[in-house]
Amino acid sequence: MSQFVINLIFVGLSFALYFGIAIWARAGSTSEFYVAGGGVHPVVNGMATAADWMSAASFISMAGLIAAGGYGASTYLMGWTGGYVLLAMLLAPYLRKFGKFTVPDFIGDRFYSKTAAMIAVVCLITASTTYVIGQMTGAGVAFSRFLEVESSTGLVIAAIVVFFYAVLGGMKGITYTQVAQYVVLMIAYTIPAVFISLELTGNPIPGLGLFSNHVESGVPILTKLNQVVTDLGFSSYTADVPNKLNMVLFTLTLMIGTAGLPHVIIRFFTVPKVADARWTAGWTLVFISLLYFTAPAVGAMARLNLVDTIYPQGVESQPILNDDRPDWMKTWEETGLIKYNDLNNDGRIQLYSDSGLGAAQIALNTAQADGGDVAAATAAVETARIAHDAELDVNADILVLANPEIAQLPPWVIGLIAAGGLAAALSTAAGLLLAISSAISHDLIKGNLNPNITDAQELKYARITMGVAIVVATYLGMNPPGFAAQVVALAFGIAASSLFPVLMMGIFSKRINNLGAIAGMLTGLIVVLVYIFMFKGWFFISGTANFPDTEEYWLFGISPLSFGAVGALLNFIVAFAVSYATAPPPAHIQELVESVRSPRGAGGAVDH
């Protein structure tokens, strides 16, 4: 049986499962469409939230970025994990007690302003749309390889699948589909990692294998990895990052952006009680940790396996001939996600070309030892390092998906990870699209444009807007501004600068009024969007960026991916300044804030 047929079987069976669940859990009311009827068990909700959380960025891109960036890329892991803890402790139980369907619902009532609610809708749609680009990109990557179709075709297939079970089932269908997707993606992620960890370290637990000895060389696997990458002219895998400010701000942006993500927050509205929201948070953290404990090992082992594939006799020997490259590399080349350019025309695949880097490094070592011109030698090394080009260009998004093939694991494992990668992308895409749909149908149309529509009409609008959102997300997924995880990081920056501060102030400060909330949200959103567009292109349109996206052009060395924390700070400052310069909120709003923070009682989600 061919690998394509095996992949088709695994993917087809998983899709059949999702469709069956969608038909079984078809939403019949707005309550079921928005919050699954408010009766989901905390363990089930925890698993669904984990699937919603562990997107294509977590499953596909995070380990790939760690593989490519080493310790410096661990900020993704720290920021996303820490952010979920913030969400669980500071926001989720209080928002659940408020008893609303959506985040703009809360903001509109807490700040007694339809304008505030509408700005929240804009912030939500902007963050969620940017986030869903990454999910659709990840789905396209997975489809293009495992179903052997063009990436654009894969995106269309993914859109059709999501359209079916998300539009039909709403939150009710999505919840139970995400439980199935969690099981699929975790099995798919864990089994290849166990095989590879056993092969490289003899330890069946990948997280522990990362700190075990390399079987072949007998040295710790991280020491082995550092040795091979530095011998090839790259920075040490465990090297510290030079820009500490950027690293701290990036981690903070991911943390507070996580806590402000609407598609995760709305999952806490689906449980019966506030106590269940807290239990959901705990169970979700358990389910998330299973993948996040494994991801660093997957990244490191993927990097080592890739180097061993190119240099089977060690990096001190000749690399393989391009004609002798393995089949998996040829297959991925067809997708355009692996590219080979024989810069020195020797017919061999080298991870960097001979551009004088080695000679410059020797000259620097000599200058340091003999008291020569160290500054000039250092400059020569940096120039050579910038100039050297990799003959093999491997898209970081493929490393997890290609890992079983690189490690020569059985075909059924490859089929399993195909199903897992698609499950990860589709689960989060569905949650994001529901957040967008509910913001438009419930908050914009029913809340402002036409408050008198019936329940059935609102449900119809919700399904129509979700269909439109899927079409837009598919188009944007064909033209993403970066790797899946990097695109997602931009969404986190937008959520961090606009939604997180206003949610925090709405819960913990009685003094913030409607004018302060509006001014703060607008300040955070506009500042971060302008900064991102200046480096990534206006509205992510290629060729419209004002500056190259490199550190020398960044303000104070702060990356666009890290600027969300700055935007959040400005949001807080402006909101407090405007609020204290104007009249305090009405007494009943201040009493509402007190009641939300009270530990007792909470009813079901209601349409106030």
Side-chain angles (χ1 to χ4, degrees), residues 114-126:
K114 287 188 176 182
T115 302
M118 289 304 96
I119 293 172
V121 168
V122 172
C123 295
L124 184 152
I125 291 174
T126 305

Side-chain angles (χ1 to χ4, degrees), residues 298-495:
V298 171
M301 293 173 187
R303 180 77 175 270
L304 187 58
N305 273 331
L306 180 62
V307 173
D308 287 343
T309 299
I310 306 302
Y311 294 89
Q313 306 302 319
V315 294
E316 67 281 352
S317 304
Q318 289 282 3
I320 61 171
L321 290 166
N322 184 50
D323 292 341
D324 297 334
R325 69 194 186 281
D327 290 338
W328 69 265
M329 195 175 290
K330 297 175 185 177
T331 307
W332 278 103
E333 283 177 351
E334 294 174 5
T335 69
L337 299 173
I338 288 183
K339 298 175 183 177
Y340 169 63
N341 183 14
D342 192 5
L343 296 170
N344 55 8
N345 298 314
D346 65 350
R348 295 183 179 275
I349 301 174
Q350 300 186 47
L351 292 183
Y352 68 86
S353 63
D354 184 7
S355 61
L357 179 60
Q361 186 66 56
I362 292 173
L364 174 59
N365 294 341
T366 301
Q368 291 172 331
D370 299 340
D373 190 344
V374 175
T378 301
V381 167
E382 291 306 314
T383 300
R385 190 180 298 280
I386 293 171
H388 89 266
D389 294 314
E391 290 193 339
L392 188 68
D393 180 14
V394 179
N395 187 314
D397 280 350
I398 76 166
L399 282 178
V400 170
L401 299 178
N403 220 4
E405 298 171 274
I406 298 173
Q408 300 180 342
L409 298 182
W412 66 268
V413 179
I414 298 170
L416 186 63
I417 205 165
L422 292 170
L426 298 180
S427 63
T428 302
L432 288 163
L433 291 165
L434 180 65
I436 294 170
S437 171
S438 60
I440 295 174
S441 61
H442 182 70
D443 299 309
L444 181 59
I445 297 176
K446 184 175 178 62
N448 286 272
L449 301 181
N450 191 0
N452 298 319
I453 59 173
T454 65
D455 191 75
Q457 288 174 320
E458 185 181 351
L459 188 59
K460 181 182 73 173
Y461 285 130
R463 288 185 165 132
I464 292 172
T465 54
M466 183 175 285
V468 173
I470 290 172
V471 172
V472 173
T474 303
Y475 170 77
L476 294 174
M478 294 179 184
N479 303 278
F483 295 140
Q486 291 176 320
V487 177
V488 167
L490 297 177
F492 279 70
I494 294 168

Side-chain angles (χ1 to χ4, degrees), residues 124-164:
L124 184 152
I125 291 174
T126 305
S128 297
T129 302
T130 308
Y131 198 164
V132 84
I133 296 172
Q135 309 317 306
M136 302 308 286
T137 302
V141 169
F143 269 115
S144 65
R145 164 61 187 93
F146 294 116
L147 298 186
E148 298 179 15
V149 296
E150 293 291 329
S151 180
S152 57
T153 305
L155 276 170
V156 173
I157 296 172
I160 293 171
V161 175
V162 172
F163 179 87
F164 184 86

